[in-house]
Amino acid sequence: MTTVDVSLSADEARRVALAAQGLLGAPDRRAGVRGVLRRLGAVQLDTISVLARSHELVPYARLGAVGRSAVESAYWTGGHSFEYWSHAACILPVEEWPHFAFRRRERRARGHRWHILEDREAACALVRDRLKTDGPLTTTELGGGKNGGEWFDWSETKIAVEWLLDTGEVVCTERRGWKRVYDLAERAIPDELLHDDIDDRECMRRLVAQAGAAMGVATRADLADYHRLKGEQVDAVLPDTDLVPVEVEGWGKPAWADPVALETSPRGRHRTTLLSPFDSLVWDRPRTQRIFGFTHRLEAYVPKPKRIHGYFAMPLLSGGRLLGRVDPGREGRTLLARQVSMAGRKAVAPMAKALWEAASWVGCEEVRVERCDDAKLAEALAHALAEGPGGV
């Protein structure tokens, strides 16, 4: 039986979560994008690009208008990060390479991901040789990714290089034109980190502890979801982490908090910003509902007539609350708010501010609202936007 010595109100838990995610208090601009990555432990990648790709939107939400080229450079130069399977396909700090040894072993034991090669050793040997001689290389440079059919009809080269990535012989340390750039792990990962000698239990312990620190306070399910672990894996290592059992008002489930997060009361300036739906603050829908009372889901893969909030609806964060959402787009130098919903008049000024800031960041000079689900709020938002970026 877990003994609970600490109780948090729902509001305290919300503030702890925001502070842990870097969205409450002064941003660490000196640490910059790499600091955001280290703090979060994982930044999800996704193919969708509306205002920008999701991995660009994550540091933007925390640091403000960081140049997009600077974001990419921070991720992909200097050997500071690599791409691997965490919450999904994610950018990870290179220091976490040893912690994913359990997943690499798991993939090796399974023997394949989706595709099975007739002669895996021969195909993998060709990839190894090319990378050793000519790497780092994209799939295209290795010989092409498809056989000519559907997207999943991969070439033998693509299957082989992805298998080597899954199992740790190959690593992706860069995206170039959205294509993975592959290199041999022995060349790309620092010697002191290039080892798989941490056993599965210790890998899990470190990842659960990291997830707890990144979320501030979390349930068992939250901790499991962050790096896509199993509940029983979390259970096995929780007692060996420094995470503190806590009771959170209204959660109805046991929770654990990062002891550092409990040392001081979270305070400081709240960011007003639009969030990627893949941002780690909101990527877990049940957690988002529990903390913010906000129901959200990505509708990009929902047929258009059935969408409620739009293709890539981005939640509006302001004052530590989720106050609405907007489905953005671009038309030349105009940022389009294709569909907007807001939680009353209190959300109007923050929405206008967030839209103007986002417009400036992506090089737009105008903001235009196409649809708002409340006529009175639409009028108020139009007036707020008309004041321009300096008036909100």
Side-chain angles (χ1 to χ4, degrees):
M1 184 75 176
T2 301
T3 302
V4 177
D5 296 322
V6 180
S7 294
L8 298 175
S9 69
D11 186 64
E12 286 171 331
R14 178 182 56 81
R15 292 172 65 84
V16 164
L18 287 165
Q21 283 280 300
L23 290 160
L24 173 60
D28 188 349
R29 300 195 186 281
R30 178 172 293 184
V33 175
R34 288 173 183 165
V36 170
L37 176 60
R38 288 193 298 272
R39 180 176 201 149
L40 300 182
V43 171
Q44 186 171 340
L45 291 156
D46 194 79
T47 58
I48 297 173
S49 181
V50 180
L51 292 182
R53 293 198 189 275
S54 185
H55 67 284
E56 299 172 283
L57 292 166
V58 169
Y60 162 74
R62 289 151 179 81
L63 302 174
V66 182
R68 294 176 64 186
S69 60
V71 172
E72 294 292 343
S73 177
Y75 284 138
W76 303 125
T77 63
H80 291 275
S81 64
F82 69 106
E83 178 185 337
Y84 197 61
W85 304 106
S86 166
H87 184 81
C90 290
I91 305 172
L92 304 166
V94 72
E95 293 81 9
E96 290 186 14
W97 173 269
H99 306 169
F100 284 87
F102 84 97
R103 190 153 283 162
R104 294 190 286 272
R105 287 191 285 264
E106 184 181 76
R107 294 292 171 90
R108 282 194 290 272
R110 182 182 177 191
H112 67 280
R113 192 198 303 175
W114 300 312
H115 305 79
I116 298 176
L117 286 165
E118 289 186 15
D119 191 343
R120 186 170 70 196
E121 284 309 310
C124 288
L126 287 173
V127 170
R128 290 189 197 99
D129 290 345
R130 280 293 313 280
L131 291 176
K132 185 174 182 178
T133 304
D134 304 320
L137 299 171
T138 65
T139 304
T140 300
E141 292 165 338
L142 281 167
K146 295 182 180 180
N147 285 326
E150 300 293 335
W151 69 270
F152 51 83
D153 185 21
W154 286 2
S155 69
E156 289 198 353
T157 298
K158 174 68 172 174
I159 298 169
V161 76
E162 286 290 317
W163 168 252
L164 293 173
L165 182 142
D166 282 354
T167 55
E169 286 190 63
V170 162
V171 63
C172 171
T173 56
E174 181 184 358
R175 286 266 184 159
R176 188 187 304 154
W178 196 240
K179 294 180 179 179
R180 283 179 176 156
V181 179
Y182 303 93
D183 200 0
L184 296 173
E186 64 191 42
R187 187 161 54 199
I189 302 298
D191 291 343
E192 64 272 20
L193 298 173
L194 187 63
H195 59 84
D196 277 7
D197 56 358
I198 300 178
D199 64 31
D200 285 8
R201 182 184 177 87
E202 181 61 11
C203 288
M204 307 293 179
R205 188 193 70 78
R206 295 189 188 189
L207 289 175
V208 169
Q210 188 282 317
M215 288 186 283
V217 59
T219 66
R220 169 186 185 260
D222 298 341
L223 292 167
D225 184 71
Y226 205 83
H227 292 296
R228 298 292 202 223
L229 304 179
K230 296 176 182 177
E232 55 268 29
Q233 292 172 325
V234 174
D235 291 338
V237 300
L238 253 176
D240 298 324
T241 69
D242 292 331
L243 299 178
V244 178
V246 297
E247 183 180 87
V248 181
E249 174 193 12
W251 281 24
K253 297 179 179 179
W256 287 262
D258 175 33
V260 176
L262 295 177
E263 287 176 0
T264 57
S265 178
R267 63 186 64 189
R269 183 180 179 185
H270 288 283
R271 276 283 288 152
T272 292
T273 189
L274 299 178
L275 297 171
S276 164
F278 301 113
D279 192 296
S280 50
L281 182 72
V282 296
W283 66 18
D284 184 348
R285 309 312 183 210
R287 176 176 170 85
T288 303
Q289 175 66 44
R290 189 186 330 121
I291 294 178
F292 297 101
F294 188 87
T295 302
H296 185 66
R297 68 169 182 154
L298 179 70
E299 296 181 323
Y301 307 109
V302 174
K304 189 173 182 179
K306 295 184 178 181
R307 291 175 192 156
I308 299 171
H309 297 291
Y311 176 77
F312 193 75
M314 299 178 66
L316 168 68
L317 177 70
S318 184
R321 310 279 182 177
L322 297 178
L323 298 180
R325 66 199 99 205
V326 59
D327 182 30
R330 293 180 65 180
E331 191 175 273
R333 304 282 281 182
T334 300
L335 186 151
L336 301 177
R338 299 190 187 280
Q339 188 167 332
V340 177
S341 61
M342 294 175 284
R345 294 191 69 87
K346 63 185 177 183
V348 171
M351 180 64 80
K353 181 181 189 306
L355 287 170
W356 271 121
E357 185 181 84
S360 175
W361 182 53
V362 298
C364 289
E365 297 173 348
E366 296 181 13
V367 176
R368 187 171 80 243
V369 177
E370 291 190 336
R371 180 184 173 193
C372 181
D373 61 6
D374 185 299
K376 291 182 178 179
L377 294 180
E379 184 178 356
L381 180 59
H383 284 303
L385 288 169
E387 296 180 11
V392 293

